[in-house]
Short mmCIF file of all heavy atoms in Angstrom, two decimals:
data_model
loop_
_atom_site.label_atom_id
_atom_site.label_comp_id
_atom_site.label_asym_id
_atom_site.label_seq_id
_atom_site.Cartn_x
_atom_site.Cartn_y
_atom_site.Cartn_z
N ASN A 1 69.03 138.91 181.33
CA ASN A 1 68.02 139.40 182.29
C ASN A 1 67.02 140.12 181.54
O ASN A 1 65.70 139.89 181.78
CB ASN A 1 68.72 140.27 183.27
CG ASN A 1 67.74 140.92 184.17
OD1 ASN A 1 66.81 140.54 184.68
ND2 ASN A 1 68.06 142.37 184.31
N GLN A 2 67.27 141.06 180.67
CA GLN A 2 66.33 141.89 180.00
C GLN A 2 65.40 141.13 179.09
O GLN A 2 64.21 141.27 179.04
CB GLN A 2 67.04 142.97 179.27
CG GLN A 2 67.59 144.11 180.09
CD GLN A 2 69.06 143.80 180.43
OE1 GLN A 2 69.49 142.70 180.36
NE2 GLN A 2 69.75 144.87 181.00
N LEU A 3 66.03 140.11 178.42
CA LEU A 3 65.30 139.21 177.55
C LEU A 3 64.19 138.33 178.36
O LEU A 3 63.12 138.28 177.93
CB LEU A 3 66.11 138.32 176.72
CG LEU A 3 65.50 137.35 175.84
CD1 LEU A 3 64.70 138.21 174.73
CD2 LEU A 3 66.55 136.49 175.02
N ALA A 4 64.71 137.82 179.38
CA ALA A 4 63.82 137.06 180.32
C ALA A 4 62.63 137.90 180.83
O ALA A 4 61.46 137.53 180.77
CB ALA A 4 64.55 136.35 181.35
N LYS A 5 63.02 139.11 181.33
CA LYS A 5 62.01 140.02 181.88
C LYS A 5 60.91 140.34 180.85
O LYS A 5 59.76 140.48 181.10
CB LYS A 5 62.65 141.27 182.46
CG LYS A 5 63.36 141.06 183.83
CD LYS A 5 63.90 142.36 184.32
CE LYS A 5 62.72 143.24 184.71
NZ LYS A 5 63.26 144.37 185.52
N ARG A 6 61.42 140.58 179.64
CA ARG A 6 60.61 141.05 178.49
C ARG A 6 59.34 140.03 178.25
O ARG A 6 58.36 140.33 177.96
CB ARG A 6 61.33 141.27 177.30
CG ARG A 6 60.61 141.95 176.18
CD ARG A 6 61.50 142.12 174.90
NE ARG A 6 62.75 142.71 175.20
CZ ARG A 6 63.89 142.40 174.55
NH1 ARG A 6 63.84 141.54 173.60
NH2 ARG A 6 65.05 143.02 174.94
N TYR A 7 59.74 138.76 178.54
CA TYR A 7 58.75 137.73 178.38
C TYR A 7 58.09 137.26 179.58
O TYR A 7 57.40 136.13 179.71
CB TYR A 7 59.42 136.46 177.58
CG TYR A 7 59.59 136.74 176.16
CD1 TYR A 7 60.83 137.50 175.73
CD2 TYR A 7 58.71 136.48 175.16
CE1 TYR A 7 60.92 137.75 174.32
CE2 TYR A 7 58.86 136.69 173.74
CZ TYR A 7 60.00 137.40 173.45
OH TYR A 7 60.27 137.68 172.08
N GLY A 8 58.22 138.04 180.67
CA GLY A 8 57.37 137.82 181.90
C GLY A 8 58.08 137.06 182.97
O GLY A 8 57.34 136.62 183.97
N ALA A 9 59.36 136.73 182.90
CA ALA A 9 60.03 135.96 183.94
C ALA A 9 60.31 136.79 185.20
O ALA A 9 60.62 137.96 185.03
CB ALA A 9 61.29 135.27 183.32
N ARG A 10 60.28 136.17 186.32
CA ARG A 10 60.80 136.66 187.62
C ARG A 10 62.29 136.54 187.49
O ARG A 10 62.90 135.50 187.05
CB ARG A 10 60.35 135.91 188.70
CG ARG A 10 61.06 136.30 190.03
CD ARG A 10 60.66 135.19 191.10
NE ARG A 10 61.38 135.44 192.31
CZ ARG A 10 61.61 134.63 193.30
NH1 ARG A 10 60.89 133.39 193.25
NH2 ARG A 10 62.26 134.83 194.42
N THR A 11 63.07 137.74 187.78
CA THR A 11 64.63 137.58 187.59
C THR A 11 65.24 137.95 188.90
O THR A 11 64.81 138.91 189.65
CB THR A 11 65.04 138.58 186.50
OG1 THR A 11 64.58 139.90 186.91
CG2 THR A 11 64.39 138.29 185.17
N VAL A 12 66.19 137.20 189.22
CA VAL A 12 66.92 137.32 190.52
C VAL A 12 68.43 137.32 190.27
O VAL A 12 69.03 136.55 189.46
CB VAL A 12 66.66 136.03 191.37
CG1 VAL A 12 67.36 136.21 192.75
CG2 VAL A 12 65.11 135.91 191.54
N GLU A 13 69.11 138.24 190.93
CA GLU A 13 70.66 138.28 190.86
C GLU A 13 71.14 137.79 192.17
O GLU A 13 70.71 138.33 193.30
CB GLU A 13 71.02 139.73 190.67
CG GLU A 13 72.53 139.95 190.64
CD GLU A 13 72.95 141.33 190.51
OE1 GLU A 13 72.32 142.21 191.12
OE2 GLU A 13 73.96 141.64 189.74
N LEU A 14 72.16 136.90 192.14
CA LEU A 14 72.88 136.45 193.36
C LEU A 14 74.29 136.84 193.14
O LEU A 14 74.92 136.34 192.13
CB LEU A 14 72.78 135.06 193.55
CG LEU A 14 71.29 134.51 194.08
CD1 LEU A 14 70.32 134.58 193.05
CD2 LEU A 14 71.53 133.03 194.62
N ASN A 15 74.97 137.72 193.98
CA ASN A 15 76.24 138.22 193.69
C ASN A 15 76.86 138.63 194.90
O ASN A 15 76.12 138.86 195.98
CB ASN A 15 76.23 139.24 192.59
CG ASN A 15 77.46 139.15 191.68
OD1 ASN A 15 78.54 138.84 192.14
ND2 ASN A 15 77.26 139.51 190.41
N LEU A 16 78.13 138.90 194.99
CA LEU A 16 78.84 139.48 196.17
C LEU A 16 78.38 140.91 196.47
O LEU A 16 78.24 141.35 197.56
CB LEU A 16 80.33 139.37 195.96
CG LEU A 16 81.02 138.05 196.28
CD1 LEU A 16 82.48 138.04 195.92
CD2 LEU A 16 80.77 137.53 197.78
N GLU A 17 78.11 141.57 195.34
CA GLU A 17 77.78 142.95 195.36
C GLU A 17 76.93 143.34 194.19
O GLU A 17 76.86 142.60 193.26
CB GLU A 17 78.93 143.88 195.46
CG GLU A 17 79.89 143.74 194.30
CD GLU A 17 81.28 144.47 194.53
OE1 GLU A 17 81.58 144.83 195.64
OE2 GLU A 17 81.92 144.70 193.55
N SER A 18 76.29 144.50 194.24
CA SER A 18 75.37 144.96 193.14
C SER A 18 76.24 145.18 191.76
O SER A 18 77.24 145.62 191.85
CB SER A 18 74.74 146.22 193.43
OG SER A 18 73.93 146.73 192.39
N THR A 19 75.62 144.76 190.72
CA THR A 19 76.18 145.05 189.44
C THR A 19 75.41 146.18 188.72
O THR A 19 75.81 146.56 187.60
CB THR A 19 76.03 143.75 188.50
OG1 THR A 19 74.69 143.42 188.31
CG2 THR A 19 76.92 142.59 189.17
N GLY A 20 74.51 146.69 189.42
CA GLY A 20 73.66 147.81 188.79
C GLY A 20 72.65 147.23 187.77
O GLY A 20 72.00 148.07 186.99
N SER A 21 72.55 145.97 187.64
CA SER A 21 71.55 145.44 186.69
C SER A 21 70.04 145.45 187.19
O SER A 21 69.89 145.59 188.38
CB SER A 21 71.89 143.94 186.33
OG SER A 21 73.23 143.88 185.81
N SER A 22 69.15 145.49 186.27
CA SER A 22 67.75 145.76 186.59
C SER A 22 67.00 144.43 186.96
O SER A 22 66.01 144.04 186.26
CB SER A 22 67.11 146.50 185.51
OG SER A 22 67.21 145.77 184.22
N PHE A 23 67.55 143.61 187.85
CA PHE A 23 66.84 142.35 188.15
C PHE A 23 65.60 142.81 189.07
O PHE A 23 65.68 143.87 189.73
CB PHE A 23 67.74 141.48 188.85
CG PHE A 23 68.81 140.79 188.07
CD1 PHE A 23 69.96 141.34 187.66
CD2 PHE A 23 68.61 139.51 187.64
CE1 PHE A 23 70.93 140.76 186.83
CE2 PHE A 23 69.55 138.86 186.74
CZ PHE A 23 70.65 139.51 186.45
N ASP A 24 64.67 141.87 189.23
CA ASP A 24 63.56 142.09 189.97
C ASP A 24 63.95 141.98 191.53
O ASP A 24 63.45 142.62 192.45
CB ASP A 24 62.44 141.10 189.83
CG ASP A 24 61.87 141.24 188.46
OD1 ASP A 24 61.78 142.24 187.99
OD2 ASP A 24 61.56 140.18 187.90
N GLU A 25 64.93 141.11 191.77
CA GLU A 25 65.41 140.90 193.17
C GLU A 25 66.94 140.71 193.18
O GLU A 25 67.55 140.29 192.17
CB GLU A 25 64.81 139.57 193.79
CG GLU A 25 63.35 139.50 193.87
CD GLU A 25 62.82 138.19 194.24
OE1 GLU A 25 63.57 137.49 194.94
OE2 GLU A 25 61.68 137.83 193.71
N HIS A 26 67.59 141.15 194.24
CA HIS A 26 69.02 140.99 194.46
C HIS A 26 69.26 140.35 195.84
O HIS A 26 68.77 140.75 196.87
CB HIS A 26 69.61 142.47 194.36
CG HIS A 26 69.25 143.24 193.21
ND1 HIS A 26 70.03 143.25 192.03
CD2 HIS A 26 68.21 144.02 193.00
CE1 HIS A 26 69.44 144.07 191.17
NE2 HIS A 26 68.33 144.53 191.64
N HIS A 27 70.21 139.40 195.76
CA HIS A 27 70.68 138.82 197.00
C HIS A 27 72.16 138.74 196.97
O HIS A 27 72.83 138.17 196.09
CB HIS A 27 70.07 137.27 197.08
CG HIS A 27 68.60 137.27 196.97
ND1 HIS A 27 67.76 137.33 198.14
CD2 HIS A 27 67.87 136.92 195.96
CE1 HIS A 27 66.58 137.27 197.84
NE2 HIS A 27 66.45 137.00 196.36
#
């Protein structure tokens, strides 16, 4: 996630619950 964000990507997490990661969006 951090690597993709560093190069300008939109980042999205899909999970049952939060992992505490720094994605742009969480579903």
Side-chain angles (χ1 to χ4, degrees):
N1 168 46
Q2 289 88 347
L3 181 58
K5 284 185 70 171
R6 190 181 311 150
Y7 285 84
R10 172 193 172 193
T11 62
V12 180
E13 177 186 41
L14 286 74
N15 219 326
L16 283 175
E17 56 189 20
S18 174
T19 62
S21 302
S22 57
F23 288 82
D24 296 324
E25 301 172 29
H26 307 266
H27 302 277

